């Protein structure tokens, strides 16, 4: 062996690593700072490699919460969230969080351990067909049996998760692939011939869209989660101001246009405002940006926006025309497409402005009229705390700047109605899957991504009990999340539907024996308080804000409050029920 060869061999030997170590090197190259996970038998080699690796691991208390926390991290930061679980039950416990990430287009990479490759198919201990189970739950997934594939697959997974329409990617790695040794060579280029992402948008279509915008008499921007994912919030604001058009932001799009912006109307749809829903019904042009024409927004689809032409911009061609036909489709990345649109709109502005300015004034007069007729206003109580009042106070104290990770139910809708988000990535929730149990672990991820931010986790007394073990994670890692339980003693949203549509036959919705949160918080080693009266609310929230560590608050709100406006299932969105029906007067002789 000559000297030169010996040197080469030594260099090659020095990067001989275990699959587990290669995996961590790849994560580090993808700038991963933190993994949310839970260990087990087949992932032992990975945890052994983590022992001496700088990447942080947050030990959540249930794998489902690892996937929710990774999603919360991704939603709050725009970066890929990473979660990890062992084979079998560990992997299956991740499923809900991955489906949630899939439906809300959130970039997550999930690493799961798998039994050794020669045991696959033998019903080995903790063997589950994770690859098969996750196929419909993820944007893409891999089963890695060979240590030599680890690096390529991990980098591909990050690429797929974060490009185009973002989504979760699963990497299932056998124990022998984690233990095996291979030479690690960094991967610099990704070759995926079958995976193409169109980002620029068709120039001719963009020009036509700009013409349609100037020609419209009553345009309405309908902006969704795509605005947040593509980072197109500044462009959206410029567009809305340029054409001076009212805008609604969906549950996934809140903060895409600042909540305090004069052109922002509100959330549309089932619990949207009167003005938002009337605006969509009466407009003559919908400028749909990164939205899905979701049933919770459209109500009865055949009656949705009957007078409107539709411009639909989305990175995913499969979304265009899925629910509502688009008169003008544009496939592309919103940030780029809107920037181009603005350029052309400015070019065309001199010809268009006089005529459209007049029409716009009339349109705004109608929108303002609807806003004045039925404003979205909180209800205040003097003896008992109204749920809307709780959200109003959280809004006051957070002033458009706090991160709010919500669970699912009535509280989520009131939070979306009454808390203002002046920037993207502040409002975090399980929008499409609507998964209870998301709020607290979502906040764990969001706080890890933004250590300096004020983070609220808002949950109902039902959803809170689904994720209560994560209080230990808050204390364990010193995460100063303010956990606010809106306690109405019921699975409120289901009770509301039973009351309104099932003759008030309340079945399996009463939540008796809720724990004493002051004792519960103390048991976990954090501060906690029960708030019973409106008079205490403001100071209690201030106390939570002033507390340097995590804080648990049980806010007893009136039990039978319902979320309004409400579009009943199957109704058109202009057929809103605006307020509780007046009690029928008792007939007297
Ligand atoms: C995992 C899961 N199970 C069931 C549901 C159906 N569901 C939707 S809202 C709701 C009630 C939530 O009650 P709570 O957490 O107390 O919140 P509230 O509605 O009272 O604000 C239920 C059961 C769900 N969305 N997610």
């Amino acid at each position: 062996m000559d000297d030169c060869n010996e040197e080469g061999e030594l260099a090659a030997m020095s990067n001989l690593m275990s699959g587990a170590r290669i995996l961590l090197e790849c994560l580090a190259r993808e700038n991963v700072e933190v993994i949310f996970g839970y260990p087990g038998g087949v992932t032992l080699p990975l945890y052994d490699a983590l022992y001496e690796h700088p990447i942080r691991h947050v030990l959540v208390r249930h794998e489902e919460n690892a996937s929710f926390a990774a999603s919360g991290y991704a939603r709050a930061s725009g970066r890929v969230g990473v979660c990890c679980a062992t084979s079998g039950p560990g992997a299956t416990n991740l499923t809900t969080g991955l489906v949630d990430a899939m439906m809300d287009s959130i970039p997550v990479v999930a690493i799961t351990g798998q039994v050794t490759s020669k045991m696959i198919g033998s019903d080995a201990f903790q063997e589950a067909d994770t690859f098969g189970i996750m196929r419909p739950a993820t944007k893409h997934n891999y089963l890695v049996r060979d240590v030599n594939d680890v690096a390529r697959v991990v980098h591909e997974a990050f690429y797929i998760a974060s490009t185009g329409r973002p989504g979760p990617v699963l990497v299932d790695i056998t124990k022998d692939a984690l233990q095996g040794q291979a030479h690690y060579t960094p991967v610099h280029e990704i070759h995926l011939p079958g995976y193409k992402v169109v980002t620029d948008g068709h120039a001719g279509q963009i020009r036509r869209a700009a013409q349609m915008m100037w020609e419209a008499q009553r345009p309405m921007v309908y902006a969704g989660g795509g605005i947040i994912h593509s980072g197109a919030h500044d462009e959206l604001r410029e567009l809305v101001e340029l054409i001076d058009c009212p805008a609604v932001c969906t549950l996934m799009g809140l903060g895409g246009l600042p909540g305090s912006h004069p052109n922002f109307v509100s959330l549309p749809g089932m619990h949207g405002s009167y003005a938002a829903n009337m605006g969509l019904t009466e407009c003559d042009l919908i400028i749909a940006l990164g939205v899905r024409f979701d049933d919770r927004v459209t109500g009865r689809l055949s009656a949705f926006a009957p007078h409107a032409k539709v411009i639909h911009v989305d990175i995913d061609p499969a979304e265009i025309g899925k629910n509502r036909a688009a008169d003008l489709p544009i496939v592309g990345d919103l940030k780029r497409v809107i920037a181009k649109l603005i350029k052309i709109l400015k070019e065309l502005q001199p010809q268009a402005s006089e005529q459209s300015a007049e029409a716009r004034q009339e349109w705004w007069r109608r929108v303002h009229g609807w806003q004045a007729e039925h404003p979205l206003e909180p209800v205040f109580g003097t003896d008992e705390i109204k749920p809307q009042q709780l959200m109003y106070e959280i809004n006051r104290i957070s002033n458009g700047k706090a991160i709010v990770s919500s669970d699912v139910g009535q509280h989520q809708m009131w939070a979306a109605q009454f808390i203002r988000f002046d920037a993207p990535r502040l409002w975090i929730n399980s929008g499409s899957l609507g998964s209870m149990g998301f709020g607290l672990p979502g906040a764990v991820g969001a706080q890890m991504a933004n250590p300096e931010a004020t983070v609220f986790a808002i949950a109902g007394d039902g959803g809170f009990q689904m994720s209560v073990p994560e209080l230990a994670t808050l204390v364990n890692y010193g995460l100063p999340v303010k956990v606010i339980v809106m306690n109405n003693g019921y699975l409120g949203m289901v009770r509301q539907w039973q009351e309104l549509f099932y003759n008030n036959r309340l079945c399996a919705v009463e939540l008796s024996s809720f724990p004493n949160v002051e004792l519960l918080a103390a048991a976990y080693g954090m501060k906690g308080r029960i708030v019973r009266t409106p008079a205490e609310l403001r100071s209690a929230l201030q106390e939570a804000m002033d507390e340097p560590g995590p804080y648990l608050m049980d806010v007893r709100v009136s039990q039978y409050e319902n979320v309004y406006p409400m579009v009943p299932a199957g109704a058109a969105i202009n057929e809103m029920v605006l307020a509780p029906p007046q009690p029928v007067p008792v007939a007297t002789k």
Side-chain angles (χ1 to χ4, degrees):
M1 191 188 285
D2 63 34
D3 276 354
C4 189
N5 265 351
E6 202 170 317
E7 235 178 69
E9 287 233 1
L10 277 174
M13 275 168 66
S14 65
N15 72 5
L16 191 67
M17 295 179 192
S18 70
R21 183 65 202 277
I22 293 174
L23 168 59
L24 293 177
E25 289 310 310
C26 296
L27 296 184
R29 278 185 184 269
E30 295 289 349
N31 298 319
V32 172
E33 290 167 342
V34 59
I35 303 172
F36 302 92
Y38 210 94
V42 298
T43 51
L44 279 169
L46 176 58
Y47 281 81
D48 190 54
L50 256 175
Y51 184 80
E52 55 197 2
H53 200 277
I55 288 185
R56 267 189 103 178
H57 179 276
V58 170
L59 179 68
V60 290
R61 270 41 177 186
H62 190 293
E63 290 90 349
E64 177 175 292
N65 298 330
S67 49
F68 284 152
S71 169
Y73 178 93
R75 289 169 196 255
S77 66
R79 302 170 60 184
V80 177
V82 180
C83 56
C84 170
T86 192
S87 64
T92 55
N93 277 346
L94 291 181
T95 317
T96 305
L98 296 186
V99 176
D100 168 71
M102 182 72 178
M103 295 183 74
D104 282 350
S105 311
I106 306 300
V108 168
V109 168
I111 314 279
T112 48
Q114 184 52 276
V115 299
T116 49
S117 33
K118 68 174 188 305
M119 304 284 279
I120 287 179
S122 71
D123 295 337
F125 175 64
Q126 294 194 326
E127 181 186 1
D129 176 10
T130 308
F131 181 83
I133 291 167
M134 297 298 188
R135 256 182 112 135
T138 52
K139 182 174 173 186
H140 194 62
N141 62 5
Y142 293 91
L143 170 59
V144 183
R145 297 156 173 250
D146 183 343
V147 61
N148 292 298
D149 291 337
V150 171
R152 175 185 56 81
V153 165
V154 172
H155 290 300
E156 282 180 14
F158 274 79
Y159 180 73
I160 294 171
S162 58
T163 53
R165 180 179 186 167
V169 178
L170 172 90
V171 183
D172 194 31
I173 312 183
T174 60
K175 189 173 185 182
D176 47 316
L178 287 173
Q179 283 173 321
Q181 301 273 313
H183 293 290
Y184 170 57
T185 344
V187 175
H188 297 295
E189 270 180 46
I190 306 281
H191 297 289
L192 293 167
Y195 179 71
K196 292 265 177 294
V197 179
V198 177
T199 51
D200 278 339
H202 186 280
Q205 298 286 80
I206 293 175
R207 178 163 288 273
R208 180 69 201 116
Q211 284 162 349
M212 284 169 77
M213 287 181 198
W214 283 134
E215 279 159 20
Q217 310 274 300
R218 304 183 305 280
M220 188 93 181
V221 162
Y222 161 31
I227 292 288
I228 316 272
H229 302 324
S230 90
H233 44 280
D234 289 337
E235 289 76 7
L236 174 66
R237 186 189 182 130
E238 197 179 342
L239 173 79
V240 161
E241 288 173 359
L242 182 60
I243 59 173
D244 192 20
C245 166
V248 295
C249 292
T250 68
L251 193 66
M252 288 299 296
L254 289 176
L257 187 65
S260 52
H261 195 283
N263 291 46
F264 174 68
V265 180
S266 77
L267 183 77
M270 183 170 275
H271 295 296
S273 69
Y274 181 72
N277 289 344
M278 290 308 292
L280 283 170
T281 305
E282 294 299 323
C283 69
D284 68 351
L285 178 69
I286 288 186
I287 303 161
L289 305 171
V291 295
R292 301 178 297 126
F293 291 85
D294 169 55
D295 58 276
R296 284 297 192 262
V297 169
T298 64
R300 191 168 72 248
L301 192 58
S302 58
F304 179 68
H307 317 292
K309 288 206 163 119
V310 172
I311 297 170
H312 193 173
V313 189
D314 204 286
I315 191 122
D316 182 359
E319 278 306 333
I320 292 179
K322 185 181 85 178
N323 291 332
R324 166 80 181 239
D327 298 273
L328 193 104
I330 300 175
V331 176
D333 175 55
L334 280 162
K335 194 173 169 68
R336 292 185 187 213
V337 172
I338 301 178
K340 286 183 186 171
L341 259 170
I342 289 169
K343 208 166 147 254
I344 313 264
L345 278 164
K346 284 181 179 164
E347 246 175 71
L348 300 178
Q349 193 170 18
Q351 299 120 316
S353 52
E354 209 172 289
Q355 169 202 359
S356 64
E358 224 171 276
R360 229 35 126 252
Q361 260 183 15
E362 169 57 15
W363 180 221
W364 269 116
R365 202 187 51 72
R366 290 183 72 188
V367 174
H368 288 145
W370 290 318
Q371 284 175 320
E373 215 177 320
H374 296 290
L376 206 50
E377 270 178 349
V379 183
F380 294 96
T382 43
D383 301 332
E384 46 178 17
I385 301 170
K386 294 284 184 187
Q388 300 90 328
Q389 185 174 5
L390 168 62
M391 302 311 162
Y392 173 87
E393 289 297 340
I394 294 175
N395 178 55
R396 199 188 59 82
I397 210 156
S398 62
N399 196 23
K401 294 183 178 64
I403 295 178
V404 176
S405 173
S406 175
D407 217 86
V408 170
Q410 289 183 312
H411 61 281
Q412 176 192 23
M413 294 300 121
W414 281 312
Q417 288 179 337
F418 297 113
I419 303 179
R420 194 180 84 235
F421 300 98
D422 278 343
R425 303 196 180 282
L426 295 179
W427 169 243
I428 289 172
N429 75 138
S430 170
S432 186
L433 189 64
S435 182
M436 286 170 73
F438 176 92
L440 177 48
V444 167
Q447 187 81 77
M448 284 301 299
N450 298 279
E452 304 306 322
T454 300
V455 178
F456 286 98
I458 302 182
D461 41 334
F464 169 68
Q465 292 185 82
M466 286 196 179
S467 54
V468 74
E470 296 311 322
L471 292 178
T473 311
L474 298 185
V475 176
N476 194 160
Y477 296 92
L479 301 173
V481 173
K482 314 305 170 201
V483 185
I484 313 289
V485 181
M486 191 200 83
N487 187 345
N488 52 18
Y490 282 98
L491 294 172
M493 188 56 96
V494 182
R495 187 205 53 72
Q496 172 166 346
W497 282 61
Q498 289 181 343
E499 178 194 325
L500 298 178
F501 308 115
Y502 291 85
N503 293 324
N504 208 20
R505 286 153 58 92
L506 302 188
C507 180
V509 288
E510 197 169 350
L511 292 168
S512 6
S513 58
F514 189 74
N516 178 319
V517 302
E518 287 169 5
L519 299 178
L520 184 70
Y524 275 106
M526 60 193 280
K527 286 208 174 151
R529 176 170 171 180
I530 304 171
V531 180
R532 294 187 173 83
T533 61
E536 298 167 82
L537 184 56
R538 195 168 280 193
S539 60
L541 282 169
Q542 192 57 54
E543 185 180 298
M545 293 285 276
D546 294 342
E547 164 61 33
Y551 197 102
L552 174 61
M553 194 186 293
D554 170 1
V555 183
R556 305 282 168 87
V557 299
S558 46
Q559 293 197 291
Y560 299 105
E561 201 70 31
N562 290 337
V563 185
Y564 293 106
M566 180 176 192
V567 178
I573 57 166
N574 60 341
E575 296 166 352
M576 287 157 278
V577 181
L578 290 163
Q582 292 303 311
V584 180
V586 181
T588 46
K589 279 190 182 173

